[in-house]
């Protein structure tokens, strides 16, 4: 089973034992469950949502449907989920951008109070992130960096010419690039994408943008084809399957933490006993061999034990940390 499985199996045994000592909560669920995803199909968050939806479907013996609601940096999905009847039949699977940064940067644009109206159920995955550069265009302007240092040299020599892609204002790609811009003294142009990761990697491979941060689950095919190149990775150490890609610390930028997490959320009014049932179901899903194989194939990591033990404390610190970073580099979002 490996270290991944043993950690989660221990956690699952604890929650199952506790569940056995409590009465059933009206046999939840008694009808299909809807999971809202704040992106178009095909990106990391959508893939993770569908993997877990299948496991929940098997665990509960009920339909579990994924509904994609992209746009507005996740606000559309958050508001629809938060306003749903708080009975546990409408959930959301979001990520570091939509549910970590959007509430920090775009709170005034939201028609719900995130801290009051939304609750986290559990983290679902932690994913290292590449800093990618296109290799398929811009021959005329000489953009062809093979290392992070070469990218910095080019960007400094061509202020206002390098375009970077993100999932929109407040996304982890946008915030981390703004942090990089300030620390490295760069002038880059922001190109937002409503559809998220699938659109970003397409336009990066086509050469319509120069660089972007991208989770390691999807661009491998493009990397093998030579259409994009990984210049660095946001990870504590190099990954064995990408041993030639240096970490951000190695290239001189410690503290830029673009690693992407995915987590499950619910309306704040969902009763604790139902949240507990759903939380246990997600933990159970993490122990299934098929899920562990999917994680390994996609380069995803199991959420850290501390995250699983106290999701509310984890999210509170995560958002506070991003707020400090945003204030440190002076990122201001127009209202």
């Amino acid at each position: 089973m490996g270290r991944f499985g043993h950690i989660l199996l221990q956690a699952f045994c604890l929650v199952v034992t506790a569940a056995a000592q409590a009465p059933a909560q009206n046999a939840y669920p008694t009808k299909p469950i809807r999971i809202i995803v704040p992106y178009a199909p095909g990106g990391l968050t959508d893939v993770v949502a569908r993997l877990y939806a299948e496991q929940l479907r098997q665990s509960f013996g009920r339909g579990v449907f994924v509904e994609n609601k992209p746009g507005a940096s996740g606000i559309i999905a958050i508001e629809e989920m938060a306003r749903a009847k708080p009975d546990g039949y409408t959930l959301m699977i979001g990520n570091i951008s939509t549910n970590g940064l959007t509430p920090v940067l775009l709170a005034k644009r939201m028609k719900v109070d995130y801290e009051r109206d939304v609750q986290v159920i559990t983290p679902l995955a932690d994913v290292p992130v590449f800093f990618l550069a296109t290799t398929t265009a811009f021959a005329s302007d000489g953009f062809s960096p093979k290392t992070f240092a070469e990218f910095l040299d080019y960007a400094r020599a061509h202020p206002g010419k390098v375009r970077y892609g993100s999932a929109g204002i407040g996304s982890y790609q946008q915030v981390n690039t703004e942090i990089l811009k300030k620390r490295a003294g760069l002038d880059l142009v922001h190109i937002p994408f409503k559809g998220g990761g699938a659109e970003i990697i397409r336009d990066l491979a086509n050469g319509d943008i120069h660089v972007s941060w991208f989770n390691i689950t999807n661009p491998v095919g493009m990397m093998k084809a030579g259409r994009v190149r990984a210049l660095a990775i946001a990870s504590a150490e190099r990954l064995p399957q990408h041993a030639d890609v240096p970490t951000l610390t190695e290239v001189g930028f410690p503290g830029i933490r673009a690693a992407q997490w995915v987590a499950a959320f619910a309306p704040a009014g969902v009763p604790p006993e139902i949240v507990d049932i759903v939380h246990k179901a997600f933990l159970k899903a993490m122990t299934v061999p098929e899920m562990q194989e999917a994680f390994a194939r996609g380069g995803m990591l199991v959420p850290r034990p501390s995250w699983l033990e106290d999701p509310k404390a984890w999210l509170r610190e995560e958002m506070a940390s991003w707020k400090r970073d945003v204030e440190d580099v002076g990122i201001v979002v127009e209202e």
Side-chain angles (χ1 to χ4, degrees):
M1 179 181 295
R3 182 171 178 268
F4 176 101
H6 285 300
I7 291 174
L8 290 172
L9 183 58
Q10 291 173 3
F12 177 60
C13 289
L14 289 174
V15 296
V16 169
T17 299
Q21 298 171 350
Q25 302 296 331
N26 299 320
Y28 171 89
T30 60
K31 61 181 182 180
I33 297 169
R34 179 174 66 138
I35 295 178
I36 299 174
V37 173
Y39 294 103
L44 169 69
T45 306
D46 179 72
V47 169
V48 172
R50 293 178 190 278
L51 286 171
Y52 276 100
E54 176 58 30
Q55 295 304 319
L56 263 61
R57 187 179 299 118
Q58 294 182 31
S59 181
F60 288 145
R62 299 285 177 181
V64 181
F65 304 99
V66 173
E67 185 174 336
N68 300 89
K69 294 282 184 177
S73 300
I75 292 176
I76 293 172
I78 290 171
E79 290 181 349
E80 181 161 338
M81 179 270 296
R83 291 169 173 161
K85 185 177 180 180
D87 55 7
Y89 292 97
T90 299
L91 308 175
M92 175 182 176
I93 290 182
N95 66 20
I96 190 172
S97 295
T98 57
N99 293 76
L101 281 163
T102 288
V104 171
L105 285 169
L106 303 175
K108 293 183 179 180
R109 296 187 184 181
M110 301 175 73
K111 297 177 182 178
V112 297
D113 184 319
Y114 189 82
E115 292 187 12
R116 181 194 65 201
D117 299 331
V118 176
Q119 62 178 317
V120 61
I121 299 175
T122 185
L124 300 175
D126 190 19
V127 190
V129 174
F130 286 128
F131 184 75
L132 295 178
T134 186
T135 64
T136 58
F138 307 109
S140 61
D141 62 19
F143 184 84
S144 58
K146 294 181 173 59
T147 66
F148 196 84
E150 289 180 1
F151 159 74
L152 293 178
D153 290 341
Y154 181 91
R156 287 167 178 154
H158 299 81
K161 300 298 184 182
V162 175
R163 297 189 290 274
Y164 78 89
S166 88
I169 295 174
S171 67
Y172 78 92
Q173 298 110 323
Q174 191 252 347
V175 172
N176 272 279
T177 308
E178 293 301 312
I179 293 172
L180 175 62
K181 281 173 57 177
K182 179 174 181 179
R183 295 185 183 176
L186 306 180
D187 179 8
L188 309 178
V189 179
H190 178 211
I191 308 297
F193 289 81
K194 180 180 179 180
E199 290 185 1
I200 295 171
I201 193 65
R202 179 199 65 201
D203 280 20
L204 187 67
N206 289 339
D208 295 321
I209 56 175
H210 292 82
V211 294
S212 184
W213 305 90
F214 211 90
N215 69 75
I216 71 172
T217 61
N218 289 335
V220 174
M222 297 290 189
M223 291 166 62
K224 290 181 178 178
R227 300 183 68 186
V228 299
R229 176 180 289 115
L231 303 182
I233 190 169
S235 179
E237 56 189 22
R238 295 195 187 199
L239 301 184
Q241 62 270 48
H242 301 287
D244 59 331
V245 182
T247 67
L248 286 170
T249 298
E250 289 179 277
V251 299
F253 290 88
I256 297 182
R257 48 183 188 82
Q260 184 176 6
W261 50 256
V262 178
F265 301 83
V270 176
E273 57 270 21
I274 292 180
V275 171
D276 192 48
I277 291 172
V278 178
H279 181 236
K280 292 178 174 66
F282 279 122
L283 288 183
K284 178 182 177 182
M286 294 178 195
T287 70
V288 175
E290 291 81 1
M291 285 291 287
Q292 296 177 24
E293 292 169 5
F295 266 52
R297 285 196 306 271
M300 296 181 285
L301 307 175
V302 61
R304 301 165 198 175
S306 60
W307 295 9
L308 298 172
E309 291 164 6
D310 194 346
K312 291 182 180 179
W314 159 73
L315 184 62
R316 188 164 52 245
E317 174 52 32
E318 178 72 10
M319 291 175 64
S321 179
W322 278 115
K323 184 176 181 180
R324 291 192 295 269
D325 286 345
V326 166
E327 293 175 348
D328 178 57
V329 298
I331 296 176
V332 177
V333 178
E334 295 180 1
E335 299 301 333

